[in-house]
Amino acid sequence: MEIFKYKKPLSLMSKSKRFGLLSVTLLILSLGLIIGKGFNYGIDFAGGTLIQVQYNGKAPIEKVREAIDSDRSYEGATVTFFGGEDEVVIRTKTSSKALGVDVGDQIRALLQDTGNFEVRRVDMVGAKVGSELREKGLMAMVLAIIGILIYVSFRFEWRFAVASVMALMHDVTIAMGMIVLFNVEVNLDILAALLTILGYSLNDTIIVFDRIREGIRTIKDPDLGGIIDESVTRTLSRTTLTSLTTFFVVLTLYLFGGEIINGFSFTLLVGVIVGTYSSIFVASPILMWLGFSVGGFREKEAEKLKREKEKEKMRAMYENGTL
């Protein structure tokens, strides 16, 4: 299926400075938010206790807040609806040790006058465990990026690897900036979403790079910008269709998936949009700025082809007994 009928290459590289300016602006704003405001760490990373309570009917949230506030052990706790109006979640940064052995019994005693309810879940994470999870999460992202560098360098060459990693860093930084802007709680689900963005964006970028490499071999144009314009234009329908399909699936999850995956699906929504943009307008211009040489690449390809032919010739001579 073709959304965009290919007639002539779009002049994308001539506008690369505008896209570069847009990306730099978004990156500066995102970094400003991350450094200035900081992340809203959830219990997974900051430590604390989460209690999920389900009522028979609409939860009397104001009464629940008053009951929780009456106990100093829960000072600073937040009470919010969870999914529907019959469930509430109580989040407190107080550790389970400070709250007592059986938090469920404590909550039942505090909320006994608020109606018929059931304590469905009590999750507790210590501050030390939260800190360790943050460090391991950061390590997972660093290892993923190193792995991508090695893989793309092996499959293409180092300039493609650097360009793809810079594009990925661009996507993840902007996604993190949006997480801070919309005060999304950072937990293990968000970490999983950021790692998913790495994979999704890399896949899109690799497809564009693959088409550029094919274009260098088949298109006679010596100018890299012209080859990129033509290669990206040829993949535009495929990229748009894939991105729209993924976008609508994630949007459905965000709208109807419930509170429990809202943060995950929101981060993915941002990642799909930014990842599609970067694979078209960011990764390829970086390749140009890194000084990739079309002539040098073609010479290497010719040398590689020559060596393969020599190997085939030697193999044929060996099999015929003439070597």
Side-chain angles (χ1 to χ4, degrees):
M1 182 179 176
E2 291 288 329
I3 293 180
F4 303 101
K5 295 293 182 186
Y6 179 84
K7 294 178 180 176
K8 63 177 184 178
L10 298 174
S11 181
L12 299 173
M13 290 305 104
S14 63
K15 301 177 181 63
S16 60
K17 286 185 180 176
R18 295 180 193 175
F19 295 123
L21 185 62
L22 174 63
S23 291
V24 169
T25 305
L26 290 172
L27 284 173
I28 291 172
L29 290 174
S30 298
L31 288 172
L33 282 167
I34 294 167
I35 296 169
K37 188 178 177 185
F39 292 112
N40 172 24
Y41 286 115
I43 289 172
D44 290 347
F45 293 131
T49 309
L50 180 148
I51 307 110
Q52 182 180 342
V53 180
Q54 184 175 36
Y55 280 83
N56 293 327
K58 185 178 179 181
I61 193 161
E62 291 304 325
K63 287 185 178 179
V64 175
R65 283 175 180 150
E66 287 174 12
I68 295 297
D69 288 343
S70 67
D71 190 326
R72 295 187 63 184
S73 303
Y74 292 88
E75 189 175 359
T78 60
V79 181
T80 55
F81 284 118
F82 186 77
E85 291 190 340
D86 60 337
E87 283 190 76
V88 294
V89 162
I90 303 159
R91 292 182 175 88
T92 173
K93 291 185 178 177
T94 311
S95 68
S96 58
K97 189 176 179 181
L99 291 173
V101 177
D102 197 331
V103 179
D105 285 346
Q106 286 183 352
I107 291 296
R108 287 187 194 94
L110 282 172
L111 304 183
Q112 59 181 339
D113 296 329
T114 60
N116 295 321
F117 64 87
E118 176 191 0
V119 178
R120 301 197 65 187
R121 179 166 59 122
V122 177
D123 289 339
M124 294 167 282
V125 178
K128 187 178 178 184
V129 175
S131 174
E132 288 176 357
L133 283 173
R134 272 207 308 271
E135 290 172 8
K136 287 180 180 177
L138 182 63
M139 182 61 70
M141 293 201 69
V142 171
L143 289 176
I145 289 171
I146 291 173
I148 289 166
L149 262 175
I150 295 170
Y151 167 71
V152 181
S153 296
F154 177 75
R155 182 166 172 181
F156 295 91
E157 69 143 52
W158 70 268
R159 290 181 185 82
F160 283 92
V162 173
S164 60
V165 167
M166 287 177 74
L168 294 181
M169 295 299 291
H170 164 277
D171 300 346
V172 171
T173 304
I174 292 174
M176 290 196 293
M178 295 297 283
I179 288 168
V180 176
L181 180 65
F182 287 91
N183 201 33
V184 177
E185 189 176 280
V186 177
N187 51 30
L188 289 175
D189 292 342
I190 300 299
L191 176 62
L194 291 174
L195 290 171
T196 306
I197 290 172
L198 285 180
Y200 176 83
S201 182
L202 178 68
N203 182 55
D204 251 8
T205 305
I206 289 289
I207 288 170
V208 172
F209 279 176
D210 215 22
R211 191 54 66 91
I212 290 173
R213 185 173 61 175
E214 185 183 315
I216 294 171
R217 290 170 178 157
T218 56
I219 300 170
K220 300 300 179 187
D221 192 343
D223 175 50
L224 180 61
I227 293 171
I228 290 174
D229 279 347
E230 187 152 350
S231 303
V232 172
T233 305
R234 287 177 179 176
T235 62
L236 210 52
S237 286
R238 181 263 171 211
T239 303
T240 307
L241 278 171
T242 305
S243 299
L244 281 177
T245 307
T246 311
F247 177 82
F248 286 125
V249 170
V250 179
L251 182 64
T252 306
L253 282 176
Y254 178 72
L255 294 176
F256 305 109
E259 186 77 21
I260 199 164
I261 60 168
N262 257 7
F264 178 80
S265 49
F266 171 81
T267 309
L268 280 185
L269 269 180
V270 176
V272 169
I273 296 168
V274 180
T276 305
Y277 162 77
S278 74
S279 65
I280 297 173
F281 301 113
V282 176
S284 302
I286 292 175
L287 195 60
M288 289 184 67
W289 299 334
L290 289 172
F292 181 82
S293 166
V294 174
F297 181 83
R298 285 173 176 164
E299 285 177 11
K300 286 181 185 175
E301 288 286 293
E303 185 65 29
K304 186 178 170 184
L305 187 63
K306 183 181 174 184
R307 285 200 300 270
E308 287 177 358
K309 284 185 176 178
E310 285 176 354
K311 282 183 183 176
E312 285 180 11
K313 184 180 176 182
M314 295 287 284
R315 190 180 300 115
M317 290 172 68
Y318 176 78
E319 289 174 356
N320 293 330
T322 56
L323 183 64

